[in-house]
Amino acid sequence: MIDLNKFNDIYLQLEAAILEKKYLPGELLPSENELSKQFQASRETIRKALALLLENGYIQKQQGKGSIVLDVNRFVFPVAGLTSFKELQESQKMPSQTIVTKNQTGPISKPLMERLHLPKETQVISLERVRKIQGEAVILDYDFLLADVISDIPNEVAEDSIYDYIENDLGLTISYAQKEITVEPVTKQDKELLDLNGDSHVVVVRSDVYMQDTTLFQYTESRHRMDKFRFVEFARRKQV
Amino acid sequence: MIDLNKFNDIYLQLEAAILEKKYLPGELLPSENELSKQFQASRETIRKALALLLENGYIQKQQGKGSIVLDVNRFVFPVAGLTSFKELQESQKMPSQTIVTKNQTGPISKPLMERLHLPKETQVISLERVRKIQGEAVILDYDFLLADVISDIPNEVAEDSIYDYIENDLGLTISYAQKEITVEPVTKQDKELLDLNGDSHVVVVRSDVYMQDTTLFQYTESRHRMDKFRFVEFARRKQV
DNA sequence: CAGTGGTCTAGACCACCAC
DNA sequence: TGGTGGTCTAGACCACTGC
């Protein structure tokens, strides 16, 4: 019941209440003062919990009126916030399989060196993985991890989730990423490793991933068959 | 100098200082207590300003250490937060042109009715626009706006920015959107209106846009030539 | 250990909405 | 006018970092 943070705990309770339809879409949540009494918390703490609900698209606030519960049937495919293949796959519950086609440590390649502004002595772990969904090879993942941060990745881990391993087993904290989505012509390797059905292009998602201390530690390139790619985002308009 | 909100004002000042390289990437900002004195504000107010810097990728915070300034050369193409073609175009400074090929009001179409769960009596404004960049037709935009919220869109507005018009001229507040990015086979109309060079697919960005009072008021479908599409995002890992 | 950020509080004043 | 959310404060205690 009790979480590390009071406001996070309150957030989780309110989220659960909304998902259980104790508050229906279009209805108002109790006022901040009311919640303040209910949860035995100060109003600022309640407001922090509500800020999380707002950010995640559960409510919309209106001054003078209250917090309106939004319709959350849209929660099909939340790809915001660094979601990895493993997390996607879990939320999708699709039968899937990962084949590790490469897992080796060596000096950094020149293009990667230039892209990430790293010295040429840098050692990197290179991963290459093919993701199959329902028997079809539809995603090709390249990962490059700095070897001085992560010494090596066991193959069993590469078949599962490297994030899980890094965060839970190694105790490192991944903090943020810079992502880019483009559509590019297929390469020879795409044709070899993916079931492309003659497609001319693939969707390419590139990410630079950083640790909490702001050091770069991973570069990922994820190449998706066009028809299997979908990106969904809940975006709030910047209020200037 | 003085903004509506103190914390927003402080945020803007710190943002400017970072952009002007008064604080360099890798350096620490002054501590919260220090900033508190500098700006004559309470620490919580400073923290709100820092939260904005954090959210927008200017800094990374570390408990016990401080706020580290990040490298913001990545500020090439911020597409987060409901960015429209007009805003993109301004940030890109590319020579571009919009051709309005349709602008009419009428009853809602059946597919749209089903998608948005609206009654069949609903009147909508239908816009169709072709966006040219450097002389090439590369984006096809369909917009459907609820006619009871927006009475009509003058053609001059459609050629420019409908968001500007809605927010500044009509005084309405756009609040949030649900966006989806997919890659789909080209339609007959794509072929007719865009310069596709034989491409088989286009990138499709669909958005449902909502007002501050949570009413839906716009559906947009934006169809991009593959090679002209790029989506960049700064994502923070969800801290559980 | 001192200094940093992270959380939480109780109270104040303001802007907005509905009646 | 009373209730709502939005902002701001001064102060407290805790957890983490670095020396």
Side-chain angles (χ1 to χ4, degrees):
Chain A
M1 189 62 143
I2 279 181
D3 201 351
L4 308 104
N5 302 332
K6 202 163 180 176
F7 73 85
N8 198 55
D9 187 39
I10 295 171
Y11 162 67
L12 291 174
Q13 291 188 46
L14 290 173
E15 180 193 40
I18 291 173
L19 292 175
E20 289 165 16
K21 304 283 179 194
K22 288 181 186 167
Y23 301 113
L24 296 174
E27 284 182 8
L28 294 176
L29 287 186
S31 77
E32 296 179 351
N33 281 317
E34 181 57 35
L35 291 170
S36 191
K37 281 179 217 157
Q38 273 186 37
F39 287 101
Q40 299 273 37
S42 76
R43 204 180 132 216
E44 284 289 0
T45 301
I46 295 294
R47 285 177 58 76
K48 279 189 190 171
L50 293 181
L52 286 177
L53 290 173
L54 186 74
E55 190 185 315
N56 294 324
Y58 288 106
I59 61 168
Q60 174 66 13
K61 301 184 88 176
Q62 233 174 313
Q63 189 169 153
K65 203 170 172 191
S67 299
I68 304 164
V69 178
L70 298 181
D71 198 356
V72 287
N73 62 1
R74 42 171 203 69
F75 263 47
V76 260
F77 202 75
V79 189
L82 270 198
T83 308
S84 66
F85 174 78
K86 182 69 189 307
E87 289 162 341
L88 286 189
Q89 173 215 319
E90 277 170 6
S91 71
Q92 296 267 71
K93 299 193 180 61
M94 283 209 191
S96 63
Q97 187 193 355
T98 296
I99 299 159
V100 181
T101 50
K102 188 172 161 188
N103 183 356
Q104 63 185 44
T105 305
I108 191 168
S109 71
K110 204 167 168 196
L112 192 60
M113 193 185 87
E114 281 162 9
R115 188 190 155 93
L116 304 180
H117 308 104
L118 290 169
K120 68 171 189 285
E121 311 83 49
T122 314
Q123 291 282 310
V124 294
I125 303 170
S126 302
L127 271 185
E128 187 185 287
R129 297 180 287 176
V130 176
R131 314 289 203 166
K132 287 192 173 186
I133 296 177
Q134 293 171 325
E136 283 189 294
V138 292
I139 303 176
L140 177 54
D141 274 354
Y142 298 103
D143 289 82
F144 302 94
L145 300 107
L146 297 201
D148 57 344
V149 184
I150 323 272
S151 62
D152 77 312
I153 303 272
N155 259 339
E156 314 85 72
V157 166
E159 282 168 15
D160 198 44
S161 165
I162 58 172
Y163 278 11
D164 252 23
Y165 175 68
I166 291 164
E167 298 206 307
N168 298 331
D169 295 0
L170 301 183
L172 298 170
T173 307
I174 296 165
S175 183
Y176 60 95
Q178 183 65 21
K179 282 201 240 183
E180 178 196 63
I181 301 174
T182 56
V183 183
E184 300 179 14
V186 294
T187 64
K188 209 177 127 197
Q189 203 157 28
D190 292 335
K191 283 188 207 165
E192 280 167 16
L193 297 173
L194 295 178
D195 295 329
L196 285 177
N197 305 330
D199 282 357
S200 59
H201 289 71
V202 288
V203 180
V204 182
V205 181
R206 295 192 171 82
S207 314
D208 297 327
V209 185
Y210 296 81
M211 311 293 290
Q212 200 175 35
D213 63 1
T214 77
T215 57
L216 174 71
F217 92 108
Q218 182 191 11
Y219 167 76
T220 296
E221 188 172 315
S222 194
R223 306 175 70 87
H224 301 243
R225 198 170 81 187
M226 291 188 288
D227 63 327
K228 290 295 181 188
F229 179 81
R230 182 165 173 247
F231 180 90
V232 176
E233 189 187 38
F234 176 82
R236 252 169 218 291
R237 177 111 176 127
K238 274 182 223 172
Q239 305 296 351
V240 189
Chain B
M1 190 62 144
I2 279 180
D3 202 352
L4 309 103
N5 302 334
K6 201 163 181 175
F7 72 85
N8 197 56
D9 187 40
I10 295 171
Y11 161 68
L12 291 174
Q13 290 188 47
L14 290 173
E15 179 192 40
I18 291 172
L19 293 175
E20 289 164 17
K21 304 284 178 193
K22 288 181 185 168
Y23 300 113
L24 296 174
E27 286 183 5
L28 294 176
L29 286 187
S31 76
E32 297 179 350
N33 281 317
E34 182 57 35
L35 291 170
S36 191
K37 282 179 217 157
Q38 273 185 37
F39 287 101
Q40 301 271 35
S42 76
R43 204 180 131 217
E44 284 288 2
T45 301
I46 296 294
R47 285 177 58 76
K48 279 188 189 171
L50 293 181
L52 287 177
L53 290 173
L54 186 77
E55 189 184 315
N56 294 323
Y58 287 106
I59 62 168
Q60 175 65 14
K61 302 185 89 178
Q62 228 177 315
Q63 189 168 153
K65 203 169 175 194
S67 298
I68 305 163
V69 177
L70 298 181
D71 197 356
V72 286
N73 63 2
R74 40 168 207 73
F75 263 49
V76 260
F77 202 74
V79 190
L82 270 201
T83 308
S84 65
F85 174 78
K86 182 69 189 309
E87 288 161 341
L88 286 189
Q89 172 214 319
E90 277 170 7
S91 71
Q92 297 266 70
K93 298 195 181 59
M94 283 206 188
S96 64
Q97 188 194 353
T98 297
I99 299 159
V100 180
T101 49
K102 188 172 161 189
N103 183 354
Q104 63 185 42
T105 305
I108 192 169
S109 72
K110 202 167 170 196
L112 193 61
M113 191 185 89
E114 280 163 10
R115 188 188 155 93
L116 304 180
H117 309 104
L118 290 169
K120 68 171 189 283
E121 311 82 49
T122 314
Q123 291 284 308
V124 295
I125 303 171
S126 302
L127 271 184
E128 186 184 288
R129 296 180 288 176
V130 176
R131 316 289 203 167
K132 286 191 173 187
I133 296 178
Q134 294 171 325
E136 283 190 295
V138 292
I139 304 175
L140 176 55
D141 275 354
Y142 298 103
D143 289 83
F144 302 94
L145 301 108
L146 298 202
D148 57 344
V149 184
I150 322 273
S151 61
D152 76 312
I153 303 273
N155 259 338
E156 315 85 72
V157 167
E159 281 167 14
D160 198 44
S161 165
I162 59 172
Y163 279 11
D164 252 24
Y165 175 68
I166 291 163
E167 298 205 308
N168 298 331
D169 296 0
L170 300 183
L172 299 170
T173 308
I174 296 164
S175 182
Y176 60 95
Q178 183 65 21
K179 283 201 242 184
E180 178 196 62
I181 301 174
T182 56
V183 183
E184 300 180 11
V186 294
T187 64
K188 209 176 129 198
Q189 202 157 29
D190 293 334
K191 283 189 207 164
E192 281 167 15
L193 296 173
L194 295 178
D195 296 329
L196 285 177
N197 306 330
D199 282 356
S200 58
H201 290 70
V202 288
V203 179
V204 182
V205 181
R206 296 191 171 83
S207 314
D208 297 326
V209 185
Y210 296 80
M211 310 294 290
Q212 199 176 35
D213 63 0
T214 76
T215 56
L216 174 71
F217 91 107
Q218 182 190 10
Y219 168 76
T220 295
E221 188 172 315
S222 195
R223 306 174 73 86
H224 301 242
R225 198 170 82 188
M226 291 186 288
D227 63 328
K228 290 295 180 189
F229 179 81
R230 182 164 174 247
F231 180 90
V232 176
E233 189 187 36
F234 177 83
R236 250 167 220 293
R237 178 115 177 123
K238 275 182 232 171
Q239 304 297 351
V240 190

